[in-house]
Amino acid sequence: MKARMGNSMFLKHEFLKKWIKGLHIYSNFKKDMSILERKKAIKLSADVAIASTRNASTRWSRTVMANISKNETNKNKILVEQVFSDSGVIKKKASSGLMACRNRIKSKKILRRSHITQIRARKMGPHAVKASFIAKKLVKNRTQVLKNLVPGGENMDEISLIKETLDYIISLRVQVDVMRRLASAAEHSTKSL
């Protein structure tokens, strides 16, 4: 738990640092922005910052960066390049070998459970087959919805999709936590004035 908290704080710190850098870069392009342009700058900078904190180690982060780079203007490419130039600083907390070993163990457990479930379903007869068909259809539909929600998810297999989704959710939670704290701090500072 303590390691996870430290990792979360690390991600929040990196996100905030890169978000502020992105906002600064974007504001240098245009000094007087309308509210709509500010909203776009905040969103774009936040997207670049959260994707760059993952250091292009995930498909969703690479997809987000590619989509931002190819859209609209040269400003976006410059923003991505300058914010991403810092990303070499980020180091993975756990070795990839250990993570791969854990993932293999989890996959074996899932396969074993799936096999046991199939054996039980055969013993139960035709009602179990119908329930199994419905469950598979439901899983397929939900998987398709998930593929549409996660950037780059359309081209992922189910296992990769689950891993990417978990990482994406964690990153979004970090982004929301930092933005809420920043908004709260801004609100408290305006009340004291």
Side-chain angles (χ1 to χ4, degrees), residues 67-149:
N67 289 343
I68 291 170
S69 292
K70 73 179 180 183
N71 286 345
E72 294 184 37
T73 64
N74 203 26
K75 290 182 210 175
N76 294 2
K77 288 181 184 179
I78 293 169
L79 178 67
V80 168
E81 288 169 6
Q82 289 188 5
V83 171
F84 229 93
S85 67
D86 251 3
S87 291
V89 176
I90 300 172
K91 295 177 176 63
K92 290 187 176 178
K93 296 280 185 183
S95 71
S96 59
L98 180 62
M99 292 302 284
C101 181
R102 285 181 183 162
N103 289 337
R104 277 194 301 270
I105 292 169
K106 287 179 185 176
S107 296
K108 286 181 183 179
K109 286 181 181 177
I110 291 170
L111 287 173
R112 197 176 316 126
R113 282 189 211 135
S114 174
H115 183 69
I116 291 168
T117 304
Q118 286 176 353
I119 291 171
R120 285 182 186 158
R122 280 189 218 126
K123 289 179 182 178
M124 293 177 81
H127 296 295
V129 173
K130 187 175 181 181
S132 174
F133 174 76
I134 293 169
K136 284 180 182 177
K137 186 170 174 81
L138 184 64
V139 167
K140 186 177 179 180
N141 291 343
R142 299 242 170 118
T143 302
Q144 192 56 48
V145 169
L146 202 53
K147 284 184 174 194
N148 293 332
L149 289 174

Side-chain angles (χ1 to χ4, degrees), residues 3-19 45-65 80 83-94 99 150-151 162-175:
R4 199 167 76 191
M5 290 292 287
N7 192 26
S8 175
M9 291 304 293
F10 173 78
L11 285 174
K12 288 177 184 178
H13 175 74
E14 285 298 312
F15 168 73
L16 182 60
K17 184 171 74 172
K18 290 172 182 289
W19 188 33
S45 298
D47 288 346
V48 170
I50 200 63
S52 69
T53 59
R54 303 313 295 157
N55 200 19
S57 61
T58 58
R59 287 188 205 175
W60 72 261
S61 64
R62 291 189 299 270
T63 301
V64 167
M65 298 306 271
V80 168
V83 171
F84 229 93
S85 67
D86 251 3
S87 291
V89 176
I90 300 172
K91 295 177 176 63
K92 290 187 176 178
K93 296 280 185 183
M99 292 302 284
V150 177
I162 291 170
K163 289 177 188 176
E164 292 283 325
T165 301
L166 291 172
D167 189 78
Y168 188 55
I169 290 169
I170 290 167
S171 297
L172 290 175
R173 176 177 259 165
V174 164
Q175 189 178 31

